[in-house]
Amino acid sequence: LKLVTIHHRITMLVLGLQGSPRKKGNSKFLLDTFMKTAENMGARTHIVDVTRKNIIPCKEYVVCEKKGYCPIEDDVRDEIYPLLRQAEVVVLATPIFFYNMTAQLKAVVDRCQTFWARKYLLKLNDPGANLRRGFLLSVAATRGKNLFEGLNLTAQYFFDAIGAKFEGSLTYRGIEGPKDMTRHPTVQDDVAKAVQGILQPFSNRKKVLFACRENACRSQMASAFAQSLAGDKLDVLNAGSEPVEQIQPDMVAVMHEKGIDMGFRTPQKLDDVISQDTPEIIVTMGCAEQCPLVPGARKLDWNLPDPAGKPIEFMRDVRDEIEKRVQNLISEIT
């Protein structure tokens, strides 16, 4: 299979969750091959080796079902949750252990009950869910007919919980020796075909950056509306000239009134975002002289007041104005 290189760099993040305890196992080779192929097509990639993270299994506190967050402090909550929201492609990679994934990876999946609760109990809409995709990679030592059935069911419901369409899987039987996958006759073509099919729809979106000073309120709302309304047409970024540690709680609350889930979003620094991705359109709202100058990029300045610290009614007014402006921008550029 001839791999088509996408020359327009894709902002999208391809996130891999590696479940194998082996440092150089066959499922790791399979995931590495998937990620290298995605990078060659222009995507950003990140792998989390869950077997080497501090992961506490679900203790069924049911806080997530009542309040939408998990009280357990570990790498799942602090690192993996935000990555799952940033990613537009999520890949599970695991060997088969008793007809399912490894215990370490299953612990991560179980902890994603938080996402299920936010989606189905709290009725919140993840802005990235309209385009996010999920994919499964797995190997098994034996050749049984039903080897992957349990794993496929678990993966299917995991991807649904995190707001990802289950795009498919690559599974291989009779893989036991340490180099079996490297010698597999079709794996390179299999992976290239799968990655190309997943990434191609992301390749022609216009890249838009929403920027403000703290990246805690206005730019977050604008990017969420843009993702929710036109994620298939816009490659959406957001950042701040002086980002703070956390997004504004009142902003989260008023976006929830619109049914939009702002959970697990974190402020980002402008310089860092632009160094990774060059936007075609930059929409600024209050980052003043620190707003970026990107050669060739169209710049729009939305003179919107900062609602941080103001009454929540003021936050609602700014939210509604941002929604209107995003809708107009989408109509204009798409």
Side-chain angles (χ1 to χ4, degrees):
L1 178 71
K2 182 179 179 182
L3 179 65
V4 177
T5 300
I6 299 173
H7 296 287
H8 174 74
R9 183 170 175 80
I10 307 171
T11 301
M12 61 176 293
L13 171 66
V14 180
L15 173 65
L17 299 179
Q18 170 57 270
S20 175
R22 292 182 177 177
K23 291 184 178 181
K24 297 182 180 180
N26 286 294
S27 58
K28 183 180 187 304
F29 170 82
L30 192 54
L31 180 59
D32 287 346
T33 302
F34 191 101
M35 292 306 207
K36 288 175 184 176
T37 306
E39 289 171 3
N40 289 339
M41 292 185 66
R44 294 185 295 118
T45 66
H46 182 79
I47 294 177
V48 177
D49 185 346
V50 302
T51 68
R52 288 161 181 83
K53 292 294 182 178
N54 172 33
I55 295 172
I56 300 172
C58 177
K59 295 183 180 292
E60 206 172 3
Y61 291 135
V62 302
V63 175
C64 65
E65 297 186 0
K66 295 177 179 178
K67 298 184 178 181
Y69 72 89
C70 180
I72 300 173
E73 298 182 16
D74 66 351
D75 290 337
V76 174
R77 195 182 76 171
D78 297 336
E79 179 183 353
I80 296 177
Y81 283 171
L83 285 169
L84 286 170
R85 276 296 164 85
Q86 292 174 33
E88 290 188 285
V89 177
V90 179
V91 185
L92 295 178
T94 179
I96 288 292
F97 277 31
F98 281 83
Y99 289 81
N100 214 301
M101 61 184 63
T102 60
Q104 296 94 328
L105 186 55
K106 183 59 163 57
V108 174
V109 169
D110 291 345
R111 291 283 301 285
C112 288
Q113 178 75 359
T114 294
F115 292 94
W116 181 91
R118 296 176 76 88
K119 178 179 180 180
Y120 288 110
L121 298 182
L122 301 182
K123 307 298 184 183
L124 295 172
N125 174 46
D126 168 17
N130 57 353
L131 204 61
R132 188 177 297 116
R133 297 293 182 264
F135 201 81
L136 172 65
L137 302 171
S138 186
V139 298
T142 57
R143 298 180 179 274
K145 178 182 177 182
N146 302 321
L147 267 177
F148 299 103
E149 287 188 2
L151 175 61
N152 269 288
L153 280 172
T154 301
Q156 175 183 334
Y157 287 105
F158 164 72
F159 287 130
D160 178 73
I162 66 168
K165 178 185 176 184
F166 189 11
E167 196 72 16
S169 63
L170 291 176
T171 57
Y172 299 88
R173 292 172 167 82
I175 304 298
E176 188 168 15
K179 299 292 184 181
D180 282 358
M181 281 312 304
T182 64
R183 293 189 288 262
H184 194 283
T186 68
V187 64
Q188 297 290 342
D189 283 351
D190 294 345
V191 170
K193 183 177 179 180
V195 174
Q196 191 164 302
I198 294 171
L199 265 58
Q200 193 67 43
F202 294 89
S203 62
N204 295 315
R205 297 179 298 170
K206 288 185 179 295
K207 199 167 297 188
V208 180
L209 168 66
F210 294 96
C212 65
R213 187 169 62 86
E214 295 184 340
N215 191 215
C217 197
R218 291 165 292 178
S219 55
Q220 291 283 355
M221 288 192 284
S223 65
F225 280 127
Q227 276 186 301
S228 182
L229 295 170
D232 58 333
K233 300 179 180 67
L234 300 181
D235 205 346
V236 181
L237 304 162
N238 65 77
S241 56
E242 299 176 14
V244 293
E245 290 187 4
Q246 296 180 333
I247 57 178
Q248 283 281 340
D250 282 351
M251 181 274 292
V252 174
V254 300
M255 291 297 280
H256 283 186
E257 293 172 357
K258 288 280 188 176
I260 295 181
D261 190 355
M262 303 300 287
F264 315 111
R265 298 170 76 101
T266 55
Q268 302 177 81
K269 189 171 179 59
L270 264 174
D271 292 344
D272 294 340
V273 171
I274 292 175
S275 68
Q276 291 181 335
D277 302 288
T278 304
E280 299 169 70
I281 300 171
I282 301 174
V283 180
T284 62
M285 28 192 132
C287 53
E289 71 281 355
Q290 295 185 38
C291 284
L293 292 175
V294 179
R298 176 187 175 192
K299 187 174 178 181
L300 303 173
D301 184 26
W302 292 354
N303 187 20
L304 295 166
D306 186 356
K310 303 284 199 314
I312 197 162
E313 292 80 10
F314 190 87
M315 182 75 75
R316 290 190 182 103
D317 290 342
V318 173
R319 174 203 64 193
D320 293 344
E321 179 63 24
I322 288 174
E323 183 180 20
K324 291 177 186 176
R325 295 195 187 199
V326 168
Q327 288 171 337
N328 292 336
L329 179 64
I330 291 169
S331 297
E332 176 192 344
I333 67 179
T334 64

